[in-house]
Amino acid sequence: MIYGKWRLYQPIQPLSPEEGLPAVSIIKPLTGVDPNLYHNLETFFTMKYPVFELLFCVYDEIDPVIMVVQSLMSKYPKIPAKLLIGGKNVGMNPKVNNMVQGYDVAQHGLILISDSGIRMKEDTLLDMVTTMLTKENCGMVHQMPYVCQREGFSSVLEAVYFGTQHAKMYLTANMVGINCTTGMSCVFRKDIIDEAGGLAHFGQYLAEDYFLAKAFLDRGYCTRISSQLAWQNHGNYSVAAFQARMVRWTKLRTAMLPHTIILEPLSECLWLGTLSSLVVTYLLGWNGIVFFLTHCLCWFILDYILLKVINNGPLPFSKFDFLVAWLFREIASPYLLIKSQISNKIHWRHRSYVVRWGGYLEELHEKARV
């Protein structure tokens, strides 16, 4: 409720008096089956939280994921769960189109959106909700992305990226108040999104998570990061898929925040090292090559320390594996950044889009692609 420029923050009504915790509706948008899906979904049935409901959303009625969900619902009959099939076409974003049906039938005041590849710990939801309740005007709590360790070089590459470069950007942006939110795992107040037009309003954007967070910030609410990580545990992954994901994310950031075209290269080791070496050579007469190598060594060591902190313990791969993955990512970064600026087309979930300034979408149909 708003009076003039002042907002009265309405407390979320707890539905579990003995715990003092509000009930949560968990929306799981699903499409297709990967090797880890069953285990990932099962972790939501085994969470330790007083009151919650699971809303599994499937767009295609012949999707094999339906059988996986039905199997788990039969295995855990005491857990409130619904399987919703069909979706609604409310915009260009297929994820939002799939989730709207779950949002519309959600019974509780808090909504958790969680991607299919996320694995939960027993106390993850408890951590996210208590993080929200500890600050009066908190509207959303999101988790910083990380990965479960799997076999193969691509898994090491993902861990190195999410535990170093992405972690630095994510934590720094949130520390200084820049909107940097991931929608793969976030809990938020439903009443505020209803005020913003409901979840369907965000179907016009591909990066719906950014605009969901913006809706809270624009209304005077804050967003916070959970103390637990968002454990990504996709069963299908590769270096090519990882790089395509990085290019897509960069295109979206550029469309929503154009100044990232300049600022983002300055957050990369090789770009910043090259520019700094040229500067100290010109202004101070230092040896640019020595400065560049020292810069890279310091960056490498600090990244290794940060990754161990994010991982909260020893790494599940060797220092040599880290070195190879770190070098591969750093060397490939300029190429991926340049590639992201060549075209504003995005391929996502078997569909193609053109991203316009502001993050708006236009779908490319088959005839337009010929």
Side-chain angles (χ1 to χ4, degrees):
M1 205 179 299
I2 301 176
Y3 296 93
K5 65 178 181 178
W6 301 100
R7 172 183 292 275
L8 294 180
Y9 295 101
Q10 301 296 328
I12 304 167
Q13 200 68 0
L15 297 185
S16 177
E18 70 279 9
E19 297 286 348
L21 295 170
V24 182
S25 296
I26 303 173
I27 299 177
K28 295 287 294 184
L30 304 175
T31 177
V33 178
D34 69 57
N36 294 337
L37 180 67
Y38 185 92
H39 173 70
N40 291 337
L41 295 184
E42 189 172 25
T43 62
F44 286 81
F45 286 88
T46 57
M47 290 188 303
K48 304 299 183 184
Y49 193 82
V51 182
F52 67 92
E53 63 172 344
L54 295 172
L55 303 172
F56 297 101
C57 302
V58 182
Y59 200 87
D60 192 340
E61 62 183 9
I62 61 172
D63 196 315
V65 73
I66 293 174
M67 293 184 290
V68 177
V69 174
Q70 290 173 335
S71 174
L72 286 167
M73 290 174 64
S74 298
K75 184 176 180 180
Y76 298 94
K78 294 183 179 180
I79 302 298
K82 294 179 182 178
L83 175 60
L84 306 167
I85 304 173
K88 294 181 180 179
N89 188 12
V90 297
M92 294 295 181
N93 189 316
K95 179 180 175 181
V96 174
N97 289 341
N98 194 6
M99 292 192 298
V100 165
Q101 56 183 347
Y103 184 88
D104 289 344
V105 303
Q107 299 181 12
H108 305 311
L110 287 184
I111 300 289
L112 170 66
I113 292 178
S114 178
D115 286 357
S116 61
I118 295 296
R119 190 190 78 184
M120 297 285 269
K121 295 182 178 179
E122 289 186 346
D123 62 341
T124 300
L125 182 57
L126 177 64
D127 178 82
M128 297 178 75
V129 174
T130 53
T131 298
M132 174 177 287
L133 297 179
T134 54
K135 190 157 185 176
E136 183 182 9
N137 67 330
C138 182
M140 171 185 281
V141 172
H142 50 104
Q143 293 184 286
M144 189 177 78
Y146 193 51
V147 293
C148 298
Q149 183 57 32
R150 297 151 300 192
E151 296 181 357
F153 175 73
S154 58
S155 180
V156 178
L157 181 62
E158 282 186 314
V160 169
Y161 170 73
F162 283 106
T164 58
Q165 180 62 17
H166 189 273
K168 285 180 292 197
M169 291 173 55
Y170 203 90
L171 295 173
T172 301
N174 280 278
M175 181 182 67
V176 300
I178 297 174
N179 182 4
C180 183
T181 308
T182 176
M184 65 180 65
S185 182
C186 62
V187 62
F188 57 84
R189 296 181 53 148
K190 186 176 186 291
D191 58 333
I192 306 304
I193 296 303
D194 287 340
E195 180 183 311
L199 187 62
H201 170 74
F202 300 90
Q204 60 188 311
Y205 309 107
L206 188 57
E208 81 290 337
D209 45 8
Y210 172 85
F211 290 97
L212 279 169
K214 188 174 183 296
F216 288 101
L217 298 174
D218 289 347
R219 289 164 175 76
Y221 288 85
C222 69
T223 63
R224 302 186 68 187
I225 303 179
S226 170
S227 63
Q228 292 195 21
L229 302 168
W231 292 95
Q232 303 174 83
N233 191 35
H234 302 285
N236 299 319
Y237 54 93
S238 65
V239 173
F242 169 77
Q243 292 187 330
R245 190 182 188 190
M246 297 303 102
V247 170
R248 184 175 74 248
W249 283 7
T250 304
K251 288 183 179 183
L252 289 173
R253 289 195 297 269
T254 300
M256 294 181 297
L257 302 169
H259 58 272
T260 59
I261 299 173
I262 299 174
L263 297 180
E264 195 157 311
L266 298 180
S267 69
E268 294 284 353
C269 176
L270 297 185
W271 290 88
L272 184 59
T274 300
L275 292 175
S276 300
S277 299
L278 293 174
V279 169
V280 298
T281 300
Y282 180 77
L283 295 179
L284 305 176
W286 292 3
N287 188 314
I289 296 177
V290 173
F291 182 89
F292 177 79
L293 294 176
T294 304
H295 161 86
C296 291
L297 177 61
C298 293
W299 197 292
F300 171 80
I301 294 172
L302 291 174
D303 270 357
Y304 184 77
I305 295 171
L306 176 61
L307 180 58
K308 291 190 69 174
V309 171
I310 298 297
N311 197 67
N312 196 28
L315 300 179
F317 45 81
S318 68
K319 293 183 176 66
F320 179 76
D321 289 334
F322 172 77
L323 172 62
V324 174
W326 187 88
L327 286 173
F328 182 89
R329 199 210 73 80
E330 295 294 340
I331 294 172
S333 177
Y335 161 73
L336 296 178
L337 185 61
I338 294 172
K339 183 179 180 180
S340 69
Q341 304 306 315
I342 294 176
S343 169
N344 62 347
K345 296 180 181 179
I346 283 181
H347 302 284
W348 187 52
R349 298 194 179 190
H350 310 295
R351 299 168 76 173
S352 297
Y353 306 90
V354 172
V355 183
R356 303 299 184 190
W357 292 114
Y360 293 95
L361 288 179
E362 290 182 14
E363 186 172 3
L364 288 176
H365 299 285
E366 291 299 329
K367 291 183 180 179
R369 276 177 266 178
V370 176

